[in-house]
Structure formats: C-alpha cells, structure tokens
C-alpha cells in the first residue's frame, strides 16, 4: 500500500467517523495510523431487548434496529427505540462488526443470527428492519444473499448508503475500516450488491433521506429503484421543507420517526402521500 493510499484510508475513517458523530482521533501526517474503534459495550437503548415481549395483532412483527458505521445501538437509537416501544412494538437492537467497521458481508451474517434469535424468542415469522446509514444498506445483503427475504416484512433505511457515497475513496490492502471502503461509490461490494436490481421479492422498502446529508452523498444515491407498490423514497424536505436535520441525527428527527411508524403500519412501504406533522422552526 502506497503512502498516499495509507493516508486516504486514514482520512476516510476519520472523515466518516466525524460525519457520524463518533469520537475518533484524527490522523496527522507522520502520526500513528488510526487502528480502529474501541469495541462497543452491549448497552441496549431505552425500550429495546425485552425478550419477553410478544407481538400482538396490531404490531405483528418485532422491529430490529440496525445501527450505522462507528455507531452503537445505545447511541444510534436513543430516541427511536422508545418511540416505537411506546407505540406497542417489540423492539430489539444489537451491536455488530466492531462498531460496524468490519466487512459488511460478515456483519450481515451477524444480523442473520440476531434475527433468528428474535424470531425464536417472539414466535414471529418475520421481522421489520429499521437501519441507519450502513444499517439501512447492510440488511440488503442479508435479504439477497443469506435467505433473509422470507424473514423480513419491511426494510426501512434512514439515510442509507445503498449506492455508496462520493465522499469515500476505495483503497487497496489492509484498512482499519473495511466497511468504509465498501461504502465508497462504485466499490466492488456495492457493484455486486446492486447487480440485478435494488430489491428482491418479498420485503417492502422505505428510504428516508435529507438534502442536508453530508456523509452519504449525493443524497439521491440513497434511493432505491423498484415498483411503487413495494418501494417508497421520501425526502424529508419534500414533506416538511423546514427540516434541517443532517446525516448523524436523522434517526432522532421527529418527522423521520413518523415516517418510520407509517412504514411499519402500512400494508406495503410508507405511503407516498403520508403527511407527517411538521414541527415549527
């Protein structure tokens, strides 16, 4: 790996982590390279991981929350988890992939195991997945390549890296954050994931994006192609023009949370004409 490529790898991890709000040290020229995140402690967000919870007729699928790169379940879902739990859903979350920096295919296998655990505990045939950033894209690997499609009713992606980000540069050789490289626009991983179409038969897909996203750019790269009866792409500023939320805090935005709830309640993805309550500036 050339010096330039090493610096690109270090810069990528630093910039992505800063964009996601993680406390990651910058790497200066001549300094020791960033060696990777500290493993996350398994602290559940409020309202999540009650394995005695049983879905009811109004909330038939348990909801599995999937955090983004450099995040933990505790931080990423501190408001979304109790929001959904207070509305009757059985909510579950987990940490994966060394703060979601490991190879995405391996992380998808961790998701597969966790979904199996949730289904066994709740006697549910299927789950709903709600993910942020990498957590909105990584489950698509599970759906497409790991037999997950029959086990998932809805996939809701909040600012997901479905087609990668132009702020990232794919590099060769060892990296402290393989998932960062794999989320670069045009990466080999994403080329394989999206070959043959963005969706697979079975689940419904909802994407929620913001024009102010500074991490997954351009924001249009987050959207999915697919039939309107199964795919809804929502731009927050189209439904509430005064929304000022960016990438990191998108899961905590009240408008985002209303759209997630609509997606979980709807027979299909979130309704295209759903109008959330817009909060005053």
């Amino acid at each position: 790996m050339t010096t330039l490529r090493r610096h690109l790898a270090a810069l990528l991890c630093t910039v992505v982590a800063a964009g996601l709000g993680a406390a990651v040290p910058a790497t200066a020229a001549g300094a020791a390279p960033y060696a990777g995140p500290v493993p996350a402690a398994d602290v559940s967000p409020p309202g999540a991981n009650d394995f005695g919870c049983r879905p009811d007729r109004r909330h038939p699928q348990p909801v599995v929350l999937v955090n983004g790169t450099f995040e933990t379940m505790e931080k990423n879902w501190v408001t979304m988890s109790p929001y959904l739990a207070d509305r009757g859903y059985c909510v579950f979350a987990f940490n994966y992939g060394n703060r979601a920096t490991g190879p995405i295919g391996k992380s998808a296998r961790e998701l597969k195991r966790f979904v199996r655990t949730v289904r066994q505990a709740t006697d549910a045939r299927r789950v709903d997945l709600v993910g942020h950033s990498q957590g909105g894209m990584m489950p698509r690997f599970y759906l497409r390549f790991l037999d997950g499609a029959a086990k998932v009713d809805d996939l809701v992606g909040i600012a997901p890296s479905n087609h990668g980000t132009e702020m990232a540069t794919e590099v060769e050789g060892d990296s402290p954050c393989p998932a960062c490289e794999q989320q670069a626009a045009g990466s080999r991983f994403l080329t394989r994931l999206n070959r043959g179409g963005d969706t697979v038969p079975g689940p419904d897909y909802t994407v929620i994006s913001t024009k102010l996203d500074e991490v997954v750019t351009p924001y249009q790269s987050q959207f999915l192609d697919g039939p309107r009866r199964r795919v809804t792409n929502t731009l927050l500023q189209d439904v509430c023009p005064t929304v000022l939320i960016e990438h990191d805090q998108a899961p905590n935005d009240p408008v985002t949370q209303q759209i997630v709830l609509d997606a979980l309640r709807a027979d299909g993805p979130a309704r295209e004409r759903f109008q959330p309550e817009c909060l005053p500036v």
Side-chain angles (χ1 to χ4, degrees), residues 236-275:
L236 289 172
Q237 287 78 15
D238 282 347
V239 294
C240 291
T242 58
V243 168
L244 300 177
I245 209 73
E246 36 65 60
H247 184 90
D248 180 45
Q249 293 301 314
N252 299 320
D253 175 53
V255 175
T256 298
Q257 292 173 353
Q258 293 175 67
I259 299 169
V260 169
L261 186 62
D262 186 66
L264 299 180
R265 288 174 170 174
D267 182 14
R271 295 170 292 169
E272 287 187 353
R273 296 185 179 181
F274 173 66
Q275 180 57 58

Side-chain angles (χ1 to χ4, degrees), residues 85-268:
D86 289 347
R87 284 154 182 81
Y89 287 91
C90 295
V91 179
F92 299 88
F94 71 117
N95 290 323
Y96 66 90
N98 193 24
R99 286 186 182 265
T101 62
I104 296 174
K106 184 177 179 180
S107 294
R109 289 173 173 83
E110 293 185 52
L111 172 62
K112 178 179 181 177
R113 292 193 292 272
F114 189 73
V115 168
R116 181 170 61 240
T117 298
V118 170
R119 291 176 60 239
Q120 291 173 345
T122 60
D123 294 324
R125 288 181 54 248
R126 296 182 293 176
V127 302
D128 291 328
L129 302 177
V130 178
H132 176 226
S133 195
Q134 181 194 156
M137 174 273 292
M138 176 268 279
R140 294 178 50 228
F141 189 98
Y142 166 56
L143 300 183
R144 182 177 293 276
F145 298 116
L146 301 177
D147 299 320
K151 301 170 181 67
V152 174
D153 185 52
D154 277 283
L155 171 58
V156 183
I158 302 168
S161 51
N162 282 318
H163 297 97
T165 173
E166 292 184 353
M167 71 167 281
T169 303
E170 189 177 19
V171 297
E172 297 176 355
D174 294 334
S175 165
C177 181
C180 298
E181 299 174 25
Q182 290 177 315
Q183 291 174 89
S187 72
R188 290 181 291 274
F189 174 84
L190 289 172
T191 298
R192 179 190 177 201
L193 177 64
N194 294 316
R195 184 181 295 122
D198 291 349
T199 65
V200 295
D204 296 312
Y205 298 80
T206 299
V207 173
I208 304 168
S209 303
T210 171
K211 283 184 178 180
L212 303 181
D213 199 310
E214 77 290 17
V215 174
V216 180
T217 59
Y219 70 84
Q220 295 92 336
S221 70
Q222 302 171 19
F223 296 154
L224 294 172
D225 290 327
R228 295 176 67 178
R229 68 181 183 279
R230 293 187 49 240
V231 178
T232 297
N233 297 302
T234 298
L235 185 64
L236 289 172
Q237 287 78 15
D238 282 347
V239 294
C240 291
T242 58
V243 168
L244 300 177
I245 209 73
E246 36 65 60
H247 184 90
D248 180 45
Q249 293 301 314
N252 299 320
D253 175 53
V255 175
T256 298
Q257 292 173 353
Q258 293 175 67
I259 299 169
V260 169
L261 186 62
D262 186 66
L264 299 180
R265 288 174 170 174
D267 182 14

